[in-house]
Amino acid sequence: MRNNITFIGAGAGSGKTFRVTQEIQNRLISNTCRPSGLIATTFTIKAANELSEKIRQNLYATGKYDLAERLSEAAIGTVDKVCKHVLSRFAFEAGVSPEIEVLAEEDANLLFIQAVESASSNVDTGRLQILGDRLGQKNTQTRDYTWKKTVHSLANRIRENNFTETSALKMAERCSSELLSHFASPSKDDLDAQLNEAIRCALERINKNGDDSVGTKEYCRFIEQCCRDLNNGHLPWSDWVKLAKKKPTKKSEDCILGVVEAAGRYEMHPRLHSDIQQYIELIFQITTRSLSAYQDLKGERGLMDFTDLEQKTLLLFETNSEVITTLASDLDLLVVDEFQDTSPLQLTLFLKLAQCAKEVIWVGDVKQAIYGFRGTSPELADAVVFELRKHGGVAEPLDKSYRSVPDLVNLTNAIFAEPFRQSLQLIPKEVCLAPTRKPFELAQPALEFFHVSSGKTTKDGRAKRIENKPLAQAIASGISNLLAEDYQVYDKKADQYRAAQFSDVAVLCRTNDDAGRIAEALMQQGYTVSMAGGGLLQTPEALFAMACFKRLLDPSDTLATAEIIALEGKMTPEEWLENRLDYMEKVRVENPDSRGAQWGLETDFIHPVIVSLERARTALDTASVCELFDVAMIAGNVFQTVTRWGPSQSRVTQRRANLEALRGLAAKYEEGCATNHRPATVTGFLFWCDDLAVGELDEKAGDENADAIHVLTYHKAKGLEWPIVICTDLTNELKSRLWDGVNILKEDAMKGFSFAEPLANRRLSFWPWPFGPQENGIPLADKIEQSIIGKEALRSAEAEELRLLYVGFTRARDLLILVMEKDQPHPWLDLLKQNWLCPDQKQL
């Protein structure tokens, strides 16, 4: 490796952005870096804009006007922007058009879905669904098959690690053989017939012993259904496991021993082995075919997505020495912000650029590497930093915390120093920060606990987990109590203390579903909530706006008319429904074929919104999609209507923000059409919105200025901060990542990282959990999880949990609140008892 790379560790709240700005600014002023010789990458467009603006402002403030005005010569932006900059400059050498057109992420996802559909035959789909039913590869809540999401995830991992389709297919065979090596060898006996006979005998014996208890009747119904499913080939493997565990009442336990024994041989069933092997191979085959179809679809349109930009830039560096020579003379400084969030492909790209740069600075925090689900590789980032440390490439880490009060900084130091030493080999100075903020003058705690309990127990006496509704009620009560006590927080903008308000509070959850349930329960309690995430098109304000848009386009869309009248809210459901029925009865007498399109326009019932939309139809012939959407919003009086809905000013602000997000979708659609060289039509826009909703890509607006409680996931909270943070879901059991979708493993576990071949020694692993909702009491699973791969997957899960908790704990500036559930295990938080003397605790 070259010795021009310096890594700077920057813990949460340690002034990372300030340090990056200073490093770049100092080199520009000292003339060791020309503006045109700077490449700086950041994780988000917002961060890139902020970095560029701060550097420019500082240069102006120090009188360096020429440098400030020349900063536009630098390449400062996200990785895709930097790659586009390089490819445009060397378009001839790269074999691409200088005018590179890049698919928006939403359009790329939708195009890949189209590719999957074209690459999957009806036979493939049918087979996957049969296998998915037997192997439990379905969402437990929606009952949707998960194979399409698995294909998308696998495709992303293949591209992010620069695997070829041929090598990926070879990995499929290894995945199934590696997983099945832990199973008992396939039996030559007819296990179906044995189970069938055992069930028949059990039912006969139970019938003879006169056991008519409720428990035994329920058991008999279960095994009878299993027998029917077995005979028609649809008995899921989860039911084989359940048959091996489930029992009737004690009187009939001896009658079902044959069932338990026969079902307990499931792991040696040849069909289970075959199902697993076929499912894995089909997933890999469809993935590689979908990737090929996806490339064809992009090629037909002359388009690239973000990963294409990275792959083509890397290929350019690997195949054209003249480009390397040119960049070596031009590139003075390469800066990579949020280094821990780079994908393996991006890391390889940065190492190629590092060979050209005179100086390289990577800034990041391996303790906050929590985006593994997006294709980043925390283990790879750890290995890189570890190797740099051996060669003296790691600078002194930033050692001060400018965010949190001293008690919270000291708490974080005490809790996380030892676990991070064990999991990431970090020494104390790479974890611990020195607080710079002054302690509170008021006697108020920086750490509190919301103790919650379901108050219920299971049959075996264990405490039941609390449900979301009472949990949200408890959190709501705690927030009310806190604000009623006039808790003081530091206002950074005003540089003074003030009483806390709703917008100072963030509730962090594990998943989007958890956040949605908590947010919904809080709103039902009357609290205003700000929650970004999917589901924009299902909000009442979006439904009303889209109904106005559809009615503007098509007067015969009576459903849209009904939605407008219902949502507009000036008539009760009973009133408008009765009016509609009366109108339809009247018009059908006059014209039996009438659809009632004039409802709301005729003298018996004139609705002002419908009339206004009808008059606005004169714009249809000349207006664009965005313009028509604005016409519908104005004619439908949409903003005023949703404002009238209330129920609070904060909720109104959120509603109006969602409408602006909806307008943004119309603009994105038009931009995507321009990029794809296809006409932007109103019908196309409506279909595009439907696809977004199905793919959960319709993001609601997150209004940072609303006086509302923020509810979001730990992952989305990264990079943000609030005066008061409430951490939930702390009782979640640590689960191995063994069955967690697609994983990346080492080919050779003993081989270390190589700067010369950063993507070497890596392979894909996909092990589908074959037993659906059956997760506990399965000896086979315990055996697999004790294997070398199983133990590594558990260590990975523990490291991920640790980093996630670190991110959650360090979002709080003034007060951290931990929601602790009574009589439930709290992994990692048991360290509190060992390392920290807790302040006063509040019981809810």
Side-chain angles (χ1 to χ4, degrees):
M1 60 163 283
R2 293 185 60 177
N3 59 2
N4 63 336
I5 302 174
T6 301
F7 176 79
I8 302 174
S14 62
K16 174 179 67 67
T17 303
F18 177 81
R19 177 63 176 268
V20 172
T21 304
Q22 288 295 309
E23 294 286 351
I24 295 174
Q25 178 185 319
N26 290 343
R27 284 158 179 77
L28 290 171
I29 292 174
S30 66
N31 202 32
T32 57
C33 175
R34 299 158 292 177
S36 60
L38 169 64
I39 291 179
T41 73
T42 59
F43 194 62
T44 65
I45 295 173
K46 180 181 177 182
N49 292 337
E50 289 177 353
L51 176 62
S52 182
E53 190 58 30
K54 284 180 180 179
I55 296 171
R56 185 175 283 105
Q57 287 176 353
N58 290 347
L59 290 173
Y60 275 126
T62 55
K64 305 297 182 182
Y65 305 112
D66 180 57
L67 284 174
E69 291 169 4
R70 290 181 56 204
L71 193 62
S72 58
E73 298 173 14
I76 301 176
T78 53
V79 179
D80 58 279
K81 181 180 177 181
V82 169
C83 288
K84 187 175 179 180
H85 170 82
V86 173
L87 287 175
S88 297
R89 181 182 176 186
F90 299 103
F92 177 78
E93 291 83 353
V96 300
S97 168
E99 299 296 326
I100 296 173
E101 294 181 302
V102 184
L103 277 166
E105 187 173 1
E106 296 90 347
D107 287 332
N109 285 332
L110 295 176
L111 196 63
F112 185 79
I113 291 171
Q114 183 180 336
V116 173
E117 295 292 342
S118 67
S120 311
S121 68
N122 291 334
V123 174
D124 290 335
T125 302
R127 188 63 187 153
L128 278 170
Q129 290 180 352
I130 292 172
L131 292 170
D133 284 330
R134 289 208 295 256
L135 293 170
Q137 298 300 301
K138 299 170 78 171
N139 185 297
T140 55
Q141 294 178 338
T142 65
R143 307 305 298 164
D144 292 335
Y145 293 98
T146 59
W147 69 267
K148 287 186 180 180
K149 285 191 173 181
T150 303
V151 164
H152 205 164
S153 175
L154 181 58
N156 286 337
R157 300 297 92 79
I158 288 172
R159 301 186 73 207
E160 289 154 356
N161 289 274
N162 224 22
F163 294 131
T164 65
E165 293 175 14
T166 302
S167 65
L169 288 174
K170 290 180 180 177
M171 295 175 195
E173 183 179 346
R174 180 168 179 177
C175 286
S176 57
S177 62
E178 207 164 39
L179 172 57
L180 292 173
S181 68
H182 299 286
F183 287 55
S185 299
S187 172
K188 295 181 180 179
D189 296 336
D190 188 342
L191 300 186
D192 288 351
Q194 291 179 5
L195 179 59
N196 213 334
E197 177 63 18
I199 292 174
R200 187 194 64 77
C201 291
L203 290 170
E204 186 178 300
R205 290 171 183 169
I206 292 172
N207 186 52
K208 288 180 179 179
N209 76 1
D211 185 354
D212 61 353
S213 63
V214 173
T216 297
K217 286 182 178 179
E218 189 271 334
Y219 175 82
C220 288
R221 285 194 293 271
F222 169 65
I223 63 174
E224 285 171 350
Q225 182 60 52
C226 286
C227 192
R228 288 191 290 270
D229 290 341
L230 180 65
N231 290 330
N232 62 30
H234 296 302
L235 183 65
W237 297 108
S238 59
D239 280 351
W240 280 79
V241 173
K242 194 173 181 179
L243 283 166
K245 298 190 298 180
K246 190 176 177 65
K247 295 180 180 179
T249 53
K250 192 169 184 179
K251 182 177 179 180
S252 298
E253 281 187 4
D254 289 345
C255 300
I256 58 99
L257 294 177
V259 174
V260 172
E261 180 182 358
R265 302 181 69 193
Y266 57 83
E267 73 168 277
M268 60 181 65
H269 201 303
R271 189 167 62 251
L272 174 57
H273 289 239
S274 175
D275 283 356
I276 290 172
Q277 183 177 0
Q278 286 186 53
Y279 190 77
I280 292 174
E281 288 179 355
L282 260 177
I283 289 290
F284 273 79
Q285 288 169 8
I286 290 176
T287 300
T288 54
R289 293 205 302 263
S290 298
L291 280 172
S292 180
Y294 179 53
Q295 292 300 111
D296 289 343
L297 288 171
K298 287 182 294 179
E300 291 168 3
R301 294 161 174 78
L303 300 172
M304 286 191 273
D305 63 13
F306 295 151
T307 306
D308 287 326
L309 292 174
E310 295 166 1
Q311 289 179 328
K312 288 185 180 298
T313 305
L314 179 59
L315 182 64
L316 175 67
F317 291 159
E318 291 176 337
T319 59
N320 198 304
S321 58
E322 292 181 5
V323 171
I324 297 293
T325 302
T326 302
L327 282 176
S329 64
D330 292 348
L331 184 54
D332 299 324
L333 176 64
L334 169 65
V335 177
V336 178
D337 190 16
E338 299 288 4
F339 169 75
Q340 77 282 351
D341 294 328
T342 56
S343 71
L345 179 59
Q346 290 168 352
L347 171 63
T348 308
L349 192 57
F350 293 149
L351 286 171
K352 288 292 181 182
L353 278 170
Q355 294 177 9
C356 306
K358 298 176 180 65
E359 185 178 9
V360 179
I361 299 175
W362 290 344
V363 184
D365 184 9
V366 293
K367 303 188 299 299
Q368 296 188 70
I370 60 172
Y371 290 139
F373 67 98
R374 288 185 184 171
T376 65
S377 177
E379 293 81 6
L380 194 58
D382 296 343
V384 171
V385 175
F386 184 77
E387 288 298 313
L388 284 173
R389 187 183 291 113
K390 291 197 301 186
H391 295 85
V394 176
E396 286 295 309
L398 304 187
D399 60 357
K400 294 182 176 61
S401 170
Y402 299 94
R403 175 182 297 167
S404 306
V405 291
D407 280 349
L408 287 181
V409 177
N410 294 333
L411 168 67
T412 303
N413 293 342
I415 290 178
F416 291 100
E418 179 58 22
F420 276 129
R421 184 191 69 79
Q422 294 181 20
S423 67
L424 300 182
Q425 293 79 52
L426 298 179
I427 58 179
K429 71 176 182 178
E430 294 175 312
V431 178
C432 300
L433 299 173
T436 59
R437 283 185 57 186
K438 295 179 181 178
F440 274 120
E441 295 180 4
L442 297 174
Q444 59 182 28
L447 173 68
E448 291 206 21
F449 298 85
F450 286 174
H451 285 277
V452 298
S453 174
S454 68
K456 301 176 182 178
T457 57
T458 60
K459 291 180 181 179
D460 56 3
R462 291 183 300 169
K464 282 187 176 181
R465 291 284 303 273
I466 190 169
E467 296 179 354
N468 280 284
K469 188 171 182 178
L471 173 61
Q473 291 171 344
I475 292 172
S477 299
I479 293 171
S480 293
N481 294 341
L482 184 73
L483 299 184
E485 292 172 1
D486 201 30
Y487 190 93
Q488 297 290 298
V489 298
Y490 177 64
D491 190 320
K492 292 174 70 175
K493 292 182 179 178
D495 191 24
Q496 62 183 19
Y497 289 96
R498 58 164 172 78
Q501 54 196 30
F502 288 129
S503 59
D504 296 322
V505 180
V507 182
L508 306 187
C509 309
R510 291 303 175 105
T511 68
N512 287 320
D513 288 342
D514 291 335
R517 286 189 287 265
I518 294 290
E520 182 62 30
L522 286 170
M523 286 188 286
Q524 289 176 359
Q525 292 291 304
Y527 290 87
T528 303
V529 174
S530 174
M531 179 188 168
L536 170 65
L537 291 163
Q538 292 304 309
T539 61
E541 52 271 22
L543 290 171
F544 182 61
M546 292 299 284
C548 290
F549 183 63
K550 292 174 182 177
R551 178 57 180 76
L552 174 71
L553 303 175
D554 182 8
S556 67
D557 190 340
T558 54
L559 176 59
T561 303
E563 287 179 327
I564 291 168
I565 294 172
L567 290 166
E568 198 258 352
K570 290 183 179 178
M571 297 176 68
T572 66
E574 293 80 8
E575 288 173 338
W576 71 258
L577 182 57
E578 183 179 358
N579 187 288
R580 173 66 179 170
L581 293 174
D582 289 345
Y583 176 79
M584 289 303 298
E585 184 177 351
K586 174 186 173 182
V587 298
R588 280 173 183 157
V589 171
E590 301 170 358
N591 179 8
D593 296 326
S594 173
R595 296 176 58 192
Q598 294 300 302
W599 184 42
L601 296 173
E602 297 185 340
T603 53
D604 290 347
F605 176 54
I606 296 178
H607 195 284
V609 172
I610 306 302
V611 172
S612 179
L613 288 166
E614 183 66 22
R615 290 172 178 168
R617 284 176 47 78
T618 56
L620 288 180
D621 293 336
T622 58
S624 67
V625 173
C626 286
E627 290 167 343
L628 283 174
F629 191 81
D630 284 340
V631 168
M633 298 274 275
I634 295 169
N637 205 29
V638 175
F639 276 99
Q640 290 83 347
T641 299
V642 304
T643 299
R644 191 179 70 245
W645 291 348
S648 66
Q649 183 56 46
S650 297
R651 189 65 183 273
V652 168
T653 302
Q654 179 67 43
R655 293 189 194 281
R656 294 174 71 94
N658 281 338
L659 290 176
E660 292 295 349
L662 195 56
R663 292 179 69 189
L665 286 185
K668 274 189 176 181
Y669 168 73
E670 285 194 348
E671 291 170 6
C673 287
T675 301
N676 283 277
H677 304 294
R678 66 171 184 253
T681 65
V682 290
T683 303
F685 173 62
L686 293 174
F687 280 125
W688 185 76
C689 286
D690 289 341
D691 288 338
L692 287 183
V694 171
E696 299 178 358
L697 301 171
D698 54 331
E699 291 282 321
K700 292 194 290 285
D703 187 358
E704 297 180 2
N705 298 316
D707 185 19
I709 300 168
H710 302 272
V711 182
L712 65 168
T713 63
Y714 286 88
H715 290 96
K716 288 181 179 176
K718 184 174 176 292
L720 304 175
E721 58 182 73
W722 297 269
I724 302 170
V725 170
I726 301 173
C727 292
T728 70
D729 298 324
L730 300 176
T731 57
N732 284 32
E733 181 184 356
L734 285 175
K735 288 188 176 181
S736 167
R737 298 178 65 183
L738 193 63
W739 314 101
D740 188 19
V742 182
N743 292 304
I744 301 294
L745 303 178
K746 285 185 174 183
E747 283 277 7
D748 181 351
M750 303 304 294
K751 192 175 179 180
F753 172 78
S754 167
F755 277 94
E757 297 180 293
L759 293 183
N761 197 36
R762 296 170 68 77
R763 65 184 175 94
L764 292 161
S765 176
F766 167 57
W767 287 4
W769 173 251
F771 306 122
Q774 295 295 319
E775 296 181 354
N776 300 316
I778 303 177
L780 173 63
D782 296 336
K783 173 185 171 184
I784 294 174
E785 288 171 6
Q786 288 301 311
S787 67
I788 294 175
I789 292 178
K791 289 179 179 178
E792 182 58 37
L794 181 59
R795 281 194 293 270
S796 180
E798 290 173 343
E800 172 78 8
E801 178 78 5
L802 183 63
R803 293 190 293 264
L804 204 62
L805 283 178
Y806 177 80
V807 167
F809 276 42
T810 53
R811 298 311 96 192
R813 296 203 299 261
D814 303 319
L815 173 63
L816 175 66
I817 300 174
L818 306 180
V819 180
M820 308 289 281
E821 192 167 349
K822 186 179 179 182
D823 298 325
Q824 294 290 342
H826 296 82
W828 291 111
L829 286 184
D830 288 338
L831 291 167
L832 281 169
K833 301 174 184 176
Q834 304 171 21
N835 299 323
W836 188 257
L837 181 62
C838 300
D840 293 338
Q841 299 185 7
K842 290 199 169 180
Q843 180 79 34
L844 293 182

